[in-house]
Every structure is written in C-alpha cells, then in structure tokens.
Amino acid sequence: TQLLEQSPQFLSIQEGENLTVYCNSSSVFSSLQWYRQEPGEGPVLLVTVVTGGEVKKLKRLTFQFGDARKDSSLHITAAQPGDTGLYLCAVASYNTDKLIFGTGTRLQVFP
Amino acid sequence: DTEVTQTPKHLVMGMTNKKSLKCEQHMGHRAMYWYKQKAKKPPELMFVYSYEKLSINESVPSRFSPECPNSSLLNLHLHALQPEDSALYLCASSPLTGRLYNEQFFGPGTRLTVL
C-alpha cells in the first residue's frame, strides 16, 4: 500500500485547459511538498505547504493543503506545453532523513 | 551556486565494467542522496549520507557502492551490474535543517544503460 496516492496517474490535455492533480493519504503530515520533473531532468521543488487549509500560488499553479493535513491538490490554470512533466507530491519521513514520494501524475499538454 | 551537478549525463557499460557516477553541490547542504528512477515511476531511494556518514542504505545490492569523500561530493561506484539496473540515477542534497521539511535539490541525473 502506497503512503501517498496521486490521481490521476496520467493526464493528456490541450493548451489552455485547466486541471487538478490530487495527493491523498490516510496519514497526517506536518508538511507536504510538490515537485515537477521534466523529461530528462531531475525533480524541481515547486512548493512546500505546512498549515492545514493553506493555499499557495505560483503563477498559474495553485497548491492547497487539506484542512486535516492528509491531502493536497495542485490546480493549473490555462495549461501550457511547458507544464508537461511528472508531478510528484512528497512528505518528509517523521524520524529519518527520507523523503517519501507519491505515485506521480504524468501531465502532457498539447499545443 | 544553487545547483547540484552530476557527471556523466549518459553512461553505457557492460556487465563486467567498473564505472563511477559523480555528484557535487556547493550549497553547504549536509545531506546527500542517491535515487534510482525507472521510466514513468517516482524516484526510489538508494542511499542517504548525513554529515558525510552513511545513514540509510535501502537494502541496495553490493554491486552499488556509495562514497562521500567530503561534504560537497558524492560518488556511486558501479561494478558487475545487470541489465535491469539500467535507469536514471539521481543525486539530491538537502540542508538538513530539521526533518520537518527535508526539501531536496536534485541534479539532472545520469542515464545509465547496462548491456
């Protein structure tokens, strides 16, 4: 059983459309991160959310941490081909130096 | 300098070869990581070094041997690999300012092909 389940697994959309990616768990976390990995590159940290109910915006990307701190969402407005990549949520392990990744969402945005 | 560099970018090796992957960061981070990533999957943790000491080995086969010569460098020595070891190998670093966040900075990876 995966600690962090992401949905959908794969999303293929046209430029200009909106989309939402979800990261769900039955566990409570002190913080949660979102990374984006473009083809052939390493993951890049987009945001860290810490407070339940917190909303953070990064240009066309809106991140929300659930009130109970068990889940998070990433909403992209007016998607562009440059948004194409693998989106990963991740949480820090409580008592080790590990980072636990979600199952991932592959996004393809066509011109 | 806010990046993690990895060399080489691509590596093709035979099953009897010995090769090394290198990773470098100059952000003063005290934790460094090796991950293995198969196509369309999240990264899988292999090793963690904290303050230049190996703190986590995720039951990785001994044909993979990590080394941390100093706080800026991380190597992964490869010997007698199998074709199923072909993958993208990612290095990452973290400031280790407490385990609350563990925000990691990744290198671009080494694409390894084992023939």
Side-chain angles (χ1 to χ4, degrees), chain B residues 4-114:
Chain B
V4 176
T5 59
Q6 289 188 244
T7 56
K9 190 148 179 72
H10 301 276
L11 179 63
V12 179
M13 60 186 291
M15 290 190 283
T16 58
N17 291 156
K18 284 186 182 181
K19 296 286 184 183
S20 296
L21 309 185
K22 296 185 184 301
C23 174
E24 191 167 3
Q25 58 89 13
H26 293 287
M27 295 178 279
H29 290 175
R30 302 314 302 269
M32 296 186 76
Y33 306 77
W34 280 116
Y35 290 88
K36 174 183 177 180
Q37 187 177 26
K38 290 286 206 179
K40 302 181 183 180
K41 298 290 186 184
E44 298 173 30
L45 183 65
M46 300 174 73
F47 302 103
V48 181
Y49 274 84
S50 299
Y51 297 96
E52 300 159 53
K53 293 192 186 323
L54 183 65
S55 61
I56 297 176
N57 176 341
E58 291 286 89
S59 302
V60 178
S62 59
R63 57 185 184 268
F64 295 92
S65 176
E67 178 195 19
C68 188
N70 60 55
S71 60
S72 300
L73 293 173
L74 187 65
N75 298 321
L76 186 63
H77 302 298
L78 315 173
H79 174 55
L81 294 194
Q82 303 297 311
E84 59 265 29
D85 296 322
S86 298
L88 181 68
Y89 287 84
L90 293 162
C91 173
S93 69
S94 171
L96 255 192
T97 53
R99 294 185 176 123
L100 187 62
Y101 301 137
N102 196 359
E103 294 173 336
Q104 296 193 8
F105 295 76
F106 285 82
T110 293
R111 175 71 60 188
L112 174 67
T113 303
V114 182

Side-chain angles (χ1 to χ4, degrees), chain A residues 10 32 44 58 60 73 76 89 102 107:
Chain A
F10 184 73
L32 185 143
V44 174
L58 184 66
R60 294 176 294 101
S73 64
I76 301 179
C89 61
L107 172 64

Side-chain angles (χ1 to χ4, degrees), chain A residues 14-26:
Chain A
Q14 291 293 127
E15 183 175 2
E17 292 185 33
N18 302 331
L19 67 117
T20 302
V21 176
Y22 299 93
C23 176
N24 294 300
S25 177
S26 57

Side-chain angles (χ1 to χ4, degrees), chain A residues 6-85:
Chain A
Q6 289 184 236
S7 61
Q9 284 188 318
F10 184 73
L11 198 52
S12 181
I13 62 173
Q14 291 293 127
E15 183 175 2
E17 292 185 33
N18 302 331
L19 67 117
T20 302
V21 176
Y22 299 93
C23 176
N24 294 300
S25 177
S26 57
S27 301
V28 177
F29 303 110
S30 55
S31 66
L32 185 143
Q33 302 165 24
W34 284 96
Y35 291 81
R36 176 172 65 209
Q37 184 177 19
E38 296 182 16
E41 298 294 330
V44 174
L45 178 66
L46 297 174
V47 78
T48 299
V49 286
V50 178
T51 307
E54 180 178 6
V55 176
K56 282 191 173 178
K57 292 195 174 186
L58 184 66
K59 297 183 181 178
R60 294 176 294 101
L61 278 60
T62 302
F63 304 85
Q64 183 161 11
F65 201 13
D67 291 340
R69 292 184 286 127
K70 292 182 178 182
D71 52 76
S72 181
S73 64
L74 158 59
H75 182 79
I76 301 179
T77 303
Q80 298 178 0
D83 296 326
T84 292

